[in-house]
Amino acid sequence: MIYVTGDCHGNFRRFQSDCFPEQANMTKDDTVIIAGDCGGVWFGDSRDDETLDWLERLPFTLAFVCGNHENYDALERYAVAEWHGGKVHRIRPHVLHLMRGQIFELEGCRFFTMGGATSVDREYRVPYSSWWPQELPDERDFDTARTKLDEVGWKVDCVITHTCSTRMLSPTLYPDPGWERPDVDRLTEFLDELEDRLDYKRWYYGHSHRDANPAERHTVLYDCVVRLGDELQPWDVA
C-alpha cells in the first residue's frame, strides 16, 4: 500500500493509530509519502532524534519530498542512497527524503518527485535558522528531472511535489482572498513545463494548507491521507 498526505510541519499526530487505523495492516514494505514541509529534520541536531526515532518505529516506511519549511543544511548532511530506482537521503532506515527530479517505482506505480516552494512568510523568518534559500530548486535539479523523464519517455503514473504549477495556483487557492497574487517562480514555471509535456494520471501536492481536488487530475493535500492514485472523496474533507 502507498498513501500520500500533506504538510506536517513536525506535527505527526495524523500517524497515530487512532487517526490512521489503516496502519494496523501495514508493514515496512508499505509507504506513506508527505508532499513537503515534513519538518522532522528541523533543528539539525539531537533535538530531532526523539521525533525521528518515533517515525522509524511506525509500522510503515515514511518518505517525503522537501517543502519550503525544511532545514536544508541538515538534510544535505545525510547520506544519499538508492531506493526503488531513485535517490534519497536516508534519515533513518525507513524515514527517507525523496530527492528532487527523481523517479521511483513501487508496487507497479511510477512516480516523479520535485520538492521545494517559495516561502510566502520568508520576511518573518531568519536565514539559516527558520528559512533556507535552497527552498527552490536550481537548474541542475531541473536538468536532472528532464534527464530522468527522458529515460521513461515522459510518462509516469503520479507526480508528487510540494507546490503546484503556475496555471494551478488560482484554482488551488480560490476563493481565498489572501492569495490573489501568489508567488510565481522558476519552480512553478518548470512545473508548467511538466503540465505540457508529461503523461501522468494524478498530481499530488501540498503547500496551500487545504484538502481539495482543484482540477480533474490534481489533488492538494493538507490533513488528509489518501491512497496513491486516488482522489479525495467528499467524506475525506467533510
Side-chain angles (χ1 to χ4, degrees), residues 223-238:
D223 295 313
C224 290
V225 183
V226 299
R227 285 285 294 265
L228 190 70
D230 293 346
E231 64 178 356
L232 283 167
Q233 300 300 322
W235 55 81
D236 291 323
V237 293

Side-chain angles (χ1 to χ4, degrees), residues 41-225:
V41 178
W42 184 251
F43 298 104
D45 56 32
S46 60
R47 288 173 290 177
D48 291 326
D49 287 347
E50 182 178 359
T51 294
L52 293 173
D53 291 343
W54 183 83
L55 294 175
E56 175 64 22
R57 291 194 297 271
L58 291 170
F60 50 84
T61 293
L62 185 69
F64 63 95
V65 301
C66 49
N68 51 298
H69 294 152
E70 313 280 6
N71 184 334
Y72 280 91
D73 290 339
L75 280 178
E76 290 164 6
R77 290 197 291 269
Y78 285 94
V80 175
E82 291 283 332
W83 184 75
H84 289 278
K87 291 184 178 180
V88 301
H89 284 117
R90 194 174 290 279
I91 312 302
R92 291 290 188 273
H94 299 94
V95 180
L96 310 170
H97 167 226
L98 307 177
M99 296 176 69
R100 291 167 168 165
Q102 301 297 305
I103 294 174
F104 301 90
E105 296 199 29
L106 284 84
E107 301 182 21
C109 181
R110 176 185 292 164
F111 62 92
F112 170 82
T113 58
M114 179 61 79
T118 294
S119 293
V120 297
D121 61 349
R122 57 193 176 279
E123 63 183 294
Y124 306 109
R125 290 178 172 264
V126 179
Y128 300 101
S129 177
S130 58
W131 175 84
W132 283 263
Q134 303 100 302
E135 66 179 15
L136 282 181
D138 58 27
E139 287 303 319
R140 292 171 297 178
D141 296 311
F142 300 147
D143 288 343
T144 295
R146 293 185 185 102
T147 298
K148 294 288 186 180
L149 291 169
D150 282 342
E151 293 173 358
V152 297
W154 286 76
K155 184 175 183 178
V156 298
D157 294 294
C158 295
V159 179
I160 303 177
T161 60
H162 184 52
T163 190
C164 60
S165 61
T166 305
R167 71 190 62 175
M168 283 302 302
L169 285 170
S170 291
T172 297
L173 299 168
Y174 179 84
D176 186 344
W179 290 81
E180 292 175 354
R181 295 170 185 245
D183 282 336
V184 173
D185 53 48
R186 61 179 179 266
L187 175 55
T188 65
E189 291 177 348
F190 171 76
L191 298 180
D192 278 335
E193 177 185 340
L194 295 193
E195 295 276 18
D196 291 332
R197 299 182 62 186
L198 188 59
D199 181 352
Y200 67 91
K201 297 174 182 176
R202 182 151 294 277
W203 190 317
Y204 299 94
Y205 52 101
H207 192 43
S208 299
H209 289 198
R210 59 178 50 181
D211 296 284
N213 300 310
E216 183 180 2
R217 296 187 296 165
H218 295 75
T219 296
V220 56
L221 293 167
Y222 184 31
D223 295 313
C224 290
V225 183

